[in-house]
Amino acid sequence: MKNEAGEKELSALRIPLNAIDRVLPPLTGYLDPVHLEELGQLGEVVAPLRGTFRIVRENDCFRVSGEVSGALILECSRCLRPFREEVFGEFDRLYAVGRDPSILNRETELTEEITYLETGLFSPLRLLEEECILLLPMVPVCKETCPGLCPSCGAELGKGGCRCEQPTRESPFAILKRTLV
């Protein structure tokens, strides 16, 4: 299925990796928000996730590289207000067909991070959703200068503050100043 811009919907796409001889031409498409369950738990996905990727066979592995972009409504961790977060990033991952050798033999030491696909079918849905999640901030804030909420009354400090009496705390170094003077 294609959207108005002619982009292909990627959620149902399955690519048999062993059918790729050398290089799969770049694929561009989108993922409808209804298919992004994990991402939807972190925020409201407000537009389709867009991605472009290519697959290159490297001996027994397949290198999948490309870029992903999207937009979500997140909740500010300081003031709890919703805000829009645009994400864009590049990725580069290795895949192999078969069972993960570290599962078969616990003593196997892996030198590269490779994702093993037992079925040999690559799905861009999981990759693009994971990469978008990795691009999200650990602590989302609407803006770096957001003062947040008053810890006493919960008033939004960015909207005029609150009427709570703020206790004046003496600096822990004040005692040094008194002894030196």
Side-chain angles (χ1 to χ4, degrees):
M1 187 155 108
K2 293 186 176 187
N3 64 7
E4 311 83 47
E7 297 173 312
K8 182 179 177 127
E9 214 285 327
L10 301 173
S11 64
L13 182 63
R14 303 291 179 271
I15 300 169
L17 292 179
N18 283 331
I20 299 171
D21 185 35
R22 288 190 43 215
V23 177
L24 183 72
L27 289 170
T28 299
Y30 71 96
L31 293 170
D32 193 289
V34 299
H35 302 293
L36 306 170
E37 292 175 19
E38 286 184 47
L39 196 56
Q41 293 175 7
L42 300 172
E44 179 189 350
V45 183
V46 294
L49 204 59
R50 289 186 163 47
T52 299
F53 64 93
R54 62 182 259 167
I55 303 175
V56 177
R57 185 179 202 131
E58 296 179 356
N59 299 321
D60 293 334
C61 291
F62 299 87
R63 182 169 301 280
V64 180
S65 57
E67 49 192 44
V68 63
S69 63
L72 288 93
I73 301 293
L74 301 176
E75 184 178 86
C76 178
S77 62
R78 294 181 188 164
C79 68
L80 306 179
R81 291 181 144 278
F83 71 98
R84 184 180 176 105
E85 178 78 15
E86 302 279 337
V87 293
F88 174 82
E90 297 178 348
F91 56 86
D92 187 42
R93 297 242 192 126
L94 280 175
Y95 288 86
V97 176
R99 288 190 58 135
D100 186 341
S102 66
I103 293 173
L104 300 173
N105 182 359
R106 300 259 182 230
E107 295 176 12
T108 303
E109 187 175 320
L110 300 178
T111 56
E112 290 195 58
E113 191 170 319
I114 300 174
T115 302
Y116 289 88
L117 302 172
E118 288 188 37
T119 63
L121 295 176
F122 169 75
S123 169
L125 171 64
R126 300 292 326 137
L127 170 66
L128 296 175
E129 185 174 28
E130 284 175 12
E131 288 297 328
C132 190
I133 289 170
L134 290 171
L135 292 168
L136 293 176
M138 295 276 290
V139 180
V141 290
C142 56
K143 56 186 175 195
E144 286 301 317
T145 59
C146 177
L149 303 174
C150 171
S152 298
C153 69
E156 193 173 334
L157 298 175
K159 290 200 167 197
C162 66
R163 292 176 175 72
C164 295
E165 270 191 47
Q166 301 297 326
T168 55
R169 293 178 56 188
E170 188 175 26
S171 166
F173 299 105
I175 194 163
L176 291 174
K177 186 176 182 182
R178 286 191 297 260
T179 57
L180 295 173
V181 176

